Amino acid sequence: MGFKDLREFIELMDYLGELRRIDEADWDLEIGAITEVASSSPRCPMLLFDKIKGHKPGFRVVTNLLHTERRLAIALGESPDLRGVQLVRKWKDGMVKLTGGPPPVQVKDGPIRENLITGDDVNILELPSPKWHELDGGKYFAGSVTIMRDPDEGWLNLGIYRLQVQDKSTLSLYIEPGKHGKLILQKYWGKGIHCPVAISLGHSPALFMASTLFVPGNTSEYNVAGLINGGPIEVLPGELTGLLVPATAEVVLEGEVPPPETESFEEGPFGEATGYYASGARAEPVVKIKSIMHRTDPIIHGAPPMRPLPGMAHFPVNFRCAGLWSDLEKCGIPGIVGVWQDGFGMMVISLKQKYAGHAKQAALIAAGSRSAYIIRWIVIVDEDIDPYNIMEVTWAIGTRCDPERDIEVIKEGYSGPIDPLLTPEQRIRNDVTTAKVLINACRPLYRREKFAPVVAVSPELRAKVIEKWGSLWE
Ligand SMILES: Cc1cc2nc3c(=O)[nH]c(=O)nc-3n(C[C@H](O)[C@H](O)[C@H](O)COP(=O)(O)O)c2cc1C
Ligand SMILES: [Mn+2]
């Protein structure tokens, strides 16, 4: 069984020496700067901020939650030593079973009911929401889960979308085109009604992880979280909307999103997951908050994007790799050995070529997968190349890929408004596509056996040398 709430995970991380507590930091740039600088340190500690300037002691913010492979592995219930492709493989194995996750179970009571604020007393400014980066347009909840119900089919959708704090009861909400969250909003607006939403500001790692995934429509991310968690998520109806909210959440805001013609607010700029400020500031829908439920001494989760750092500190990228891997398997592509993404923009797939056109099949499916969102470079390598090792990948591209024959450009691929390459003209016409490049860096299949051999000590000779001389360097 996984973690019942955010607190339980934080407590375990504290016990394992992964947590640092920081008192009296300022919500205005200090929390964000500390988070980014600490991310780039070798330990990349999880950070728990308390006594935040201008806020009640006990109203806390946690950052860098899953930002190391060790913490991610623990959150997934795997061995803490799993790294790179091995970790992605475990994650992928779970994703293949995604639709079979257990639905949430309704409970009578839960700690989220400890405090209820309604009417004129609602004031989201009392909840710490940092201004994360210097060029950000304001204060943000970054790491919250927004819950909505599909008005036609009834399933509950959960997604992570940034929320800018505008005043004591107004947030502006940024959801990209094509995401379920946006499609659901549009369904409500099409019927001329406001969309009810519940927003969890702090929740178990499983709920966060499930809400970042490209889960198929009609499948609630609650079920996926149940699968990650090893048991169903406990929920209860929100006081205002009746939407099912996590019973052990830290804070749940409830309200509604009116059609943008009725009300919208300027949102942005915001430092984004690509490592840029690409989408600028523009009018976006608002959430009118009407009630707040919260635990005593709540913890708000913050996952501010930043420029990619070595490892995976800015964003647990292997969520997406596991998604792509499971998409390839679901499409019947055999022989996939690993998938990895470093930073943002390039995904590498290693496979054991089995037939002519195999590598190209994998590349084309990858280019069309939702998991390859804003991925411009798709690289296919042989099974002897570890996609997690960028040196090996560039060696394969440099020595096995003939650019004239093995590189292909696909026009108008799936991207999004946070893509920094979009031109101002594209933005005006809402065209959020860019080209994708397929790179086949596998040895040509028809002469694979005759390809120049790799310079490397054989496993047998290696074992002998280590046995006889290894003590000199090990
Ligand atoms: C830390 C973090 C922040 C994110 N911020 C946004 C965002 O502001 N807007 C957005 O559309 N997607 C954002 N995403 C990506 C979505 O959460 C992701 O695409 C999810 O699958 C969308 O779910 P949906 O298709 O059910 O709407 C973010 C992801 C993470 C991990
Ligand atoms: Mn969804």
Side-chain angles (χ1 to χ4, degrees), residues 5 109-115 236 247-250 294-296:
D5 56 14
D109 203 7
I112 186 59
R113 287 232 173 98
E114 282 168 8
N115 303 275
L236 48 77
T248 60
E250 298 286 335
H294 74 88
R295 292 174 74 156
T296 301

Side-chain angles (χ1 to χ4, degrees), residues 1-5 8-9 74-77 204-206 226-231:
M1 194 62 190
F3 299 91
K4 75 171 187 297
D5 56 14
E8 198 176 73
F9 186 65
I74 296 172
L76 286 170
S204 68
L227 194 78
I228 297 170
N229 201 45

Side-chain angles (χ1 to χ4, degrees), residues 113-324:
R113 287 232 173 98
E114 282 168 8
N115 303 275
L116 174 67
I117 303 163
T118 54
D120 282 349
D121 294 337
V122 165
N123 184 0
I124 52 177
L125 302 173
E126 285 179 357
L127 303 165
S129 56
K131 178 174 175 178
W132 298 98
H133 286 108
E134 279 139 302
L135 300 183
D136 286 0
K139 293 149 63 96
Y140 275 86
F141 293 122
S144 51
V145 171
T146 299
I147 303 161
M148 304 177 196
R149 186 181 289 285
D150 183 288
D152 301 326
E153 294 160 12
W155 51 280
L156 288 170
N157 190 68
L158 277 63
I160 311 281
Y161 321 112
R162 72 199 204 208
L163 291 154
Q164 185 172 355
V165 178
Q166 301 292 3
D167 61 40
K168 75 191 264 281
S169 60
T170 312
L171 294 164
S172 46
L173 169 68
Y174 182 77
I175 312 185
E176 293 170 300
K179 303 282 174 83
H180 293 145
K182 197 55 166 276
L183 299 173
I184 291 175
L185 284 175
Q186 287 163 343
K187 282 191 186 181
Y188 280 93
W189 298 337
K191 296 174 196 293
I193 35 182
H194 297 194
C195 174
V197 296
I199 300 167
S200 163
L201 299 184
H203 28 260
S204 68
L207 271 167
F208 174 67
M209 290 190 275
S211 306
T212 70
L213 289 174
F214 289 101
V215 174
N218 301 337
T219 304
S220 175
E221 285 83 359
Y222 264 131
N223 304 16
V224 179
L227 194 78
I228 297 170
N229 201 45
I233 303 296
E234 295 193 342
V235 291
L236 48 77
E239 295 289 336
L240 180 86
T241 60
L243 286 163
L244 296 176
V245 304
T248 60
E250 298 286 335
V251 182
V252 170
L253 312 177
E254 287 181 277
E256 54 183 36
V257 186
E261 310 80 73
T262 311
E263 192 170 350
S264 60
F265 222 112
E266 187 176 86
E267 191 277 344
F270 184 64
E272 291 157 349
T274 55
Y276 297 89
Y277 289 86
S279 70
R282 77 232 81 63
E284 290 292 341
V286 296
V287 195
K288 304 305 291 181
I289 304 297
K290 298 188 169 156
S291 92
I292 303 177
M293 295 191 277
H294 74 88
R295 292 174 74 156
T296 301
D297 294 339
I299 308 174
I300 292 164
H301 174 220
M306 54 187 87
R307 183 179 157 168
L309 292 161
M312 34 189 297
H314 78 300
F315 191 86
V317 286
N318 50 20
F319 295 166
R320 298 277 160 85
C321 304
L324 182 61

